Amino acid sequence: MEFKSHPDKMLLTHLREVGDNAESLAPPNLKVAAYIAGSHHDLGKYTKFFQSHLNGGKSKCSDHAGISSLYAFNTARRQGLGDLLSFFVMDAVKSHHGKLRGVDSMRRWLSTLKDSLEEGDEACLPLQQEEVERNAGETSALKYSPTLHMDLGDTVKEAWKVTHRLLDSRHPWGEYFLGALLFSCLIDADKHSASGNEFSSFSPMSVEEVFKFHDSLTSDNPMKERREILYNAVKSWERKGRIAGIISPTGTGKTISGILTAVKEERRVVYSLPFISIVEQNFDVANAIFPDKVLKFHHMSFPDSSEDEYMSAEDKLLMAESWDYPMVVTTFEGLLATLLSNRNVNLKRLHSLYGSVVILDEVQAIPADKWALVREVLEEASNSLDVHFILMTATMPALLRPDEVLDPLKGMEPNRVEVEFEDREVTPEEIGREVLDHADKSVMVELNTIASAERVADYLKGKVEVEFLSTHVTPWDRKRRIEEMKERLNRGDPFVLVTTQVVEAGVDVDFPVVFRDLGPLDSVIQAAGRCNRNSRLEKGKVFVRRVRREGKATDFNLVYGKFTEEVTLRVMKGNFCEKDFREMLDTYYRELERVRNLKDQSLEVEEKARLLSYDEIKFSLIKEEPKYTVMVLESDEAVRRLDNLRKALNIKGYERRVEVKKWRALSEEFMVKVWEKPNLEEDKRLEVFISGKEMYDEVKGFSVKEREETLLW
């Protein structure tokens, strides 16, 4: 009988390829373990049970991960690997078709297995071993070949003892990352071999291309002088530490300067940002400097295979999922999921993060209760994974501030806006009336809740030209609206933009007048960054009020909580200017740390990591969000994408994965999320409710009959 790993791949060839590639992806201290895991991960396929399954038959003993993991553990012990690496080899192989298990999860599996073997109740493993022992003789050609006649009971007992010893202590972060990295090397090598794809050869990007791009830029922007100061400071900067920071005001060209800083190190570059909209903007800049060498990675992006006629969509998808590019532009969520997750799809790219340089731009946007954990994770990853980090911001929270910081514009900050704060409560309609006093110019009004934003828009409708942004406007429509607003601003055509905090997600607009419902100080300053952004006026005006709807707490309190509101009110007193922002934010961050005890907010994640409980780590930067997804068929294009997504779900074979991912990503541009279950048709396979365009308001977007208190953001 010929033994295959996949319909078109001989099993021994697959084991060799995965062993060799996993070893090549691994750092020196993991190479032996990676080869053993890779060359043993499918040993359990040397059985009639699996081969029947591969040919369309059914067998209760076709699951091969368990017996393969025990063979891998046995070989690891024979090769002299210690408890930790032997466990990681076994864990990686056992988990390679799903999520990475933790030590306690493996202990429970081994305990059950040990008992069932002793009592003679285990049906499959002894039969699988007999088959492997009979059929896998050709594996003697492997560099570290398995002992096919191993004592199954003794191996299980030894693995159980090792797992128990590991449970008895807390482990340093370095060991946590070691296990995740081994798993990453195995699963990515496996995916590449199974699909017949080779890894690309990495070559660092040339700093000369950054110089050339910078020198080609022409601008009469009043901020140009400050941009040149930052650029030249970065150009001559010789970093010493693994983690460093760049502090510079908004509008001073941090994107190009950050890319220059990173590219100078001749490593893979991962450029991370808080929001998808800024990822899109910064990708355009990075791709203009390094065409076809930059990956845009987020849940609404899909690699374009049309750029290379010799590369299939599957090839491109594999490269994207592995971050197999010289530069990756992604979200903070995408970056941190690579470091703090047990999901196969996230950990597959961890080996590409090893030895890279990572930029975190707008780092202050990380939620305050995550600062201490993120700081610790970055420090540990820099040591364990040889990653260099660059943190960039206009305002660096103390809990994130590195020891080494470049701050060339300190004392030279622009003074583009004046903020007028009146500590009085107003209704949404009252803030609308104030806006009308400035309607001879374009005005932006930012509210904390969708409910209040909709009330302001309703009040202004018919009195002035109104544009509207919230998460009830589809991403496709938001992008179109933003481009139209930019054109109107350039023409000097007055209108009022009513928006929620969605405008803080990197929307690059420039208004002469801004109104902001009081929010956290850093959010107020984000709103101010959309006022006189390009210094076209002597001073832009920002008006801050406190919105409170009838019979409710303030919108600030509803969204951000009582403590953050109290801290903000202690720091914000009367009027202030842009030159005051830095000192005020320093005070605000210190007070926030003191009041909310931020250092204790993420202890549970740290504890799970130190117990090697990969499968119990729950981490996300994203706060609780609406749970129901609605696809709005607002146009023929939305209908076309939904039809193609449904067709993709019916495809058989390997093409299905690529087509489903592609059309799901494209369909996301027409999806919104709501808190309450909508009274709409639900596509059960997609877990998405379907709405016609009759429920999509031309101004406010998706019209949903939710209780007003649920319309938060």
Side-chain angles (χ1 to χ4, degrees):
M1 179 189 289
E2 283 189 332
F3 291 92
K4 295 185 175 182
S5 61
H6 302 83
D8 56 353
K9 177 82 73 170
M10 299 306 296
L11 180 49
L12 182 62
T13 301
H14 180 59
L15 295 178
R16 278 176 165 159
E17 287 178 355
V18 180
D20 289 342
N21 282 332
E23 181 183 37
S24 69
L25 294 174
N29 60 337
L30 269 183
K31 287 194 177 296
V32 173
Y35 182 87
I36 294 172
S39 62
H40 286 54
H41 78 289
D42 276 354
L43 275 175
K45 292 184 176 181
Y46 278 106
T47 68
K48 62 185 178 185
F49 313 116
F50 180 81
Q51 295 302 311
S52 172
H53 167 75
L54 193 62
N55 292 315
K58 293 185 177 180
S59 172
K60 66 176 183 178
C61 294
S62 62
D63 182 15
H64 60 282
I67 189 66
S68 300
S69 71
L70 294 169
Y71 270 116
F73 175 81
N74 181 268
T75 301
R77 299 305 272 178
R78 285 191 299 104
Q79 293 301 320
L81 298 188
D83 283 2
L84 189 70
L85 286 182
S86 296
F87 169 80
F88 283 152
V89 167
M90 174 176 60
D91 191 20
V93 174
K94 173 65 177 165
S95 307
H96 77 274
H97 281 300
K99 298 177 181 178
L100 182 59
R101 295 178 172 223
V103 174
D104 193 46
S105 174
M106 288 295 286
R107 175 197 62 80
R108 292 194 300 271
W109 172 66
L110 288 165
S111 293
T112 302
L113 199 56
K114 182 170 72 72
D115 292 345
S116 61
L117 284 171
E118 289 172 352
E119 295 168 10
D121 294 335
E122 173 55 41
C124 284
L125 278 182
L127 295 176
Q128 289 174 322
Q129 189 192 7
E130 287 178 16
E131 287 280 311
V132 173
E133 191 172 342
R134 181 185 307 117
N135 300 325
E138 63 185 6
T139 59
S140 62
L142 297 173
K143 180 162 55 177
Y144 306 119
S145 57
T147 299
L148 300 179
H149 58 276
M150 71 174 183
D151 187 301
L152 182 60
D154 286 349
T155 300
V156 170
K157 288 177 184 176
E158 175 66 8
W160 179 80
K161 289 176 183 176
V162 164
T163 306
H164 263 270
R165 288 198 289 269
L166 293 177
L167 269 174
D168 287 340
S169 60
R170 296 172 79 252
H171 300 266
W173 277 97
E175 293 181 0
Y176 164 85
F177 285 126
L178 204 63
L181 184 57
L182 176 63
F183 185 62
S184 175
C185 295
L186 168 60
I187 58 178
D188 204 23
D190 185 23
K191 294 286 195 304
H192 276 75
S193 173
S195 61
N197 287 278
E198 296 183 359
F199 288 91
S200 64
S201 56
F202 172 76
S203 57
M205 294 165 293
S206 169
V207 72
E208 296 298 327
E209 295 300 318
V210 186
F211 296 157
K212 190 187 305 182
F213 180 81
H214 167 266
D215 293 344
S216 71
L217 298 175
T218 57
S219 172
D220 60 352
N221 192 302
M223 297 292 288
K224 183 177 181 180
E225 181 182 351
R226 290 181 175 88
R227 290 177 178 177
E228 287 302 303
I229 291 171
L230 174 63
Y231 176 81
N232 288 319
V234 164
K235 190 174 180 180
S236 59
W237 188 27
E238 295 183 6
R239 286 184 52 210
K240 299 177 179 63
R242 289 179 176 271
I243 304 179
I246 296 175
I247 297 177
S248 191
T250 57
T252 53
K254 287 196 295 293
T255 301
I256 295 175
S257 294
I259 290 172
L260 174 58
T261 307
V263 170
K264 283 164 63 176
E265 299 199 32
E266 298 186 342
R267 294 167 165 235
R268 175 179 278 112
V269 176
V270 177
Y271 197 130
S272 65
L273 301 123
F275 309 111
I276 288 174
S277 54
I278 325 182
V279 169
E280 296 282 344
Q281 293 171 21
N282 285 36
F283 169 79
D284 290 342
V285 175
N287 197 52
I289 302 172
F290 301 107
D292 303 324
K293 291 186 177 181
V294 185
L295 168 70
K296 176 172 58 180
F297 187 89
H298 58 73
H299 74 277
M300 286 197 296
S301 66
F302 188 86
D304 184 3
S305 58
S306 64
E307 296 171 356
D308 187 342
E309 61 182 306
Y310 300 107
M311 187 170 284
S312 68
E314 173 67 21
D315 295 338
K316 277 283 190 179
L317 182 58
L318 267 176
M319 285 183 66
E321 290 179 337
S322 304
W323 285 4
D324 194 9
Y325 280 74
M327 181 182 288
V328 179
V329 184
T330 188
T331 59
F332 288 165
E333 188 73 15
L335 169 66
L336 291 166
T338 313
L339 295 167
L340 291 172
S341 171
N342 75 324
R343 294 184 64 205
N344 189 300
V345 69
N346 293 331
L347 288 178
K348 187 164 64 166
R349 58 187 183 255
L350 180 62
H351 69 83
S352 293
L353 202 59
Y354 186 94
S356 65
V357 54
V358 175
I359 299 168
L360 289 92
D361 194 356
E362 304 290 356
V363 72
Q364 82 290 339
I366 293 173
D369 61 338
K370 304 292 194 301
W371 289 344
L373 178 65
V374 169
R375 169 77 181 255
E376 183 172 2
V377 168
L378 298 188
E379 288 176 348
E380 296 295 342
S382 70
N383 294 322
S384 303
L385 301 174
D386 187 29
V387 181
H388 292 176
F389 290 100
I390 302 166
L391 279 55
M392 300 202 303
T393 180
T395 53
M396 186 77 74
L399 271 178
L400 290 172
R401 187 184 180 98
D403 293 333
E404 183 179 0
V405 172
L406 181 70
D407 191 2
L409 291 171
K410 186 173 184 179
M412 301 172 57
E413 292 88 353
N415 201 23
R416 293 165 287 189
V417 298
E418 182 179 1
V419 181
E420 177 194 292
F421 172 48
E422 290 186 15
D423 186 6
R424 62 184 176 89
E425 296 176 355
V426 297
T427 65
E429 290 73 22
E430 286 171 336
I431 206 170
R433 279 198 289 275
E434 280 198 73
V435 167
L436 289 177
D437 294 337
H438 302 270
D440 58 322
K441 311 178 190 70
S442 288
V443 181
M444 184 182 92
V445 192
E446 182 180 344
L447 289 305
N448 286 322
T449 65
I450 293 176
S452 288
E454 290 185 346
R455 283 175 57 173
V456 172
D458 287 339
Y459 177 82
L460 294 174
K461 192 174 180 180
K463 302 179 180 73
V464 290
E465 289 286 325
V466 177
E467 294 281 358
F468 188 85
L469 292 177
S470 82
T471 53
H472 282 181
V473 178
T474 63
W476 173 276
D477 197 13
R478 284 207 301 267
K479 185 175 181 180
R480 178 190 62 79
R481 293 183 185 195
I482 290 166
E483 290 307 313
E484 288 181 358
M485 282 188 282
K486 287 180 178 179
E487 291 176 8
R488 293 183 72 171
L489 287 166
N490 287 335
R491 292 196 307 266
D493 179 11
F495 66 96
V496 175
L497 166 61
V498 182
T499 179
T500 62
Q501 302 91 317
V502 71
V503 77
E504 296 175 16
V507 179
D508 187 7
V509 288
D510 188 352
F511 286 83
V513 178
V514 168
F515 280 78
R516 177 66 162 93
D517 179 13
L518 182 67
L521 181 60
D522 48 351
S523 291
V524 171
I525 288 174
Q526 280 286 324
R530 274 74 192 161
C531 181
N532 197 25
R533 186 178 184 87
N534 295 312
S535 292
R536 304 295 185 192
L537 306 172
E538 183 176 342
K539 274 281 174 60
K541 292 288 291 184
V542 179
F543 300 93
V544 181
R545 305 291 184 256
R546 298 180 69 194
V547 173
R548 181 171 187 160
R549 288 169 285 147
E550 300 81 354
K552 294 178 173 59
T554 63
D555 281 2
F556 188 143
N557 191 323
L558 288 172
V559 175
Y560 298 102
K562 174 184 174 184
F563 287 133
T564 306
E565 184 175 31
E566 289 175 351
V567 169
T568 302
L569 287 169
R570 280 202 291 273
V571 176
M572 278 184 62
K573 302 286 187 185
N575 301 347
F576 54 96
C577 296
E578 185 175 5
K579 63 182 176 59
D580 303 314
F581 287 177
R582 182 185 289 218
E583 184 179 344
M584 290 177 68
L585 278 165
D586 285 344
T587 303
Y588 171 76
Y589 289 143
R590 283 196 305 271
E591 191 69 7
L592 205 58
E593 289 171 27
R594 184 185 68 81
V595 171
R596 295 182 59 185
N597 197 14
L598 298 177
K599 292 182 180 179
D600 294 335
Q601 295 287 315
S602 299
L603 288 177
E604 184 179 352
V605 174
E606 179 190 351
E607 185 66 17
K608 297 298 184 187
R610 292 186 179 277
L611 292 172
L612 304 181
S613 297
Y614 297 101
D615 47 355
E616 295 181 34
I617 289 179
K618 302 289 187 291
F619 177 82
S620 176
L621 293 177
I622 301 171
K623 296 178 180 178
E624 182 187 4
E625 60 180 12
K627 60 186 293 188
Y628 298 104
T629 301
V630 179
M631 183 163 183
V632 183
L633 304 183
E634 59 176 282
S635 65
D636 291 343
E637 180 61 21
V639 173
R640 185 182 77 86
R641 294 187 186 190
L642 177 60
D643 287 345
N644 282 321
L645 176 56
R646 285 170 166 166
K647 288 175 184 175
L649 289 172
N650 296 323
I651 295 173
K652 306 295 182 185
Y654 286 111
E655 289 183 4
R656 182 181 188 277
R657 185 179 84 94
V658 176
E659 288 298 303
V660 169
K661 279 184 172 281
K662 172 183 176 180
W663 289 108
R664 179 74 194 207
L666 292 171
S667 296
E668 292 264 1
E669 294 191 34
F670 293 95
M671 294 183 187
V672 299
K673 291 195 171 184
V674 295
W675 289 100
E676 295 185 352
K677 187 175 182 178
N679 185 24
L680 294 168
E681 169 206 351
E682 183 181 10
D683 188 312
K684 298 288 188 181
R685 291 193 300 171
L686 295 174
E687 296 183 332
V688 168
F689 291 87
I690 309 299
S691 168
K693 60 184 177 183
E694 67 278 359
M695 293 189 68
Y696 196 73
D697 185 87
E698 64 179 6
V699 175
K700 295 182 289 187
F702 180 61
S703 300
V704 58
K705 300 301 181 185
E706 293 190 279
R707 289 176 290 115
E708 192 176 74
E709 58 264 32
T710 69
L711 295 175
L712 294 182
W713 56 79

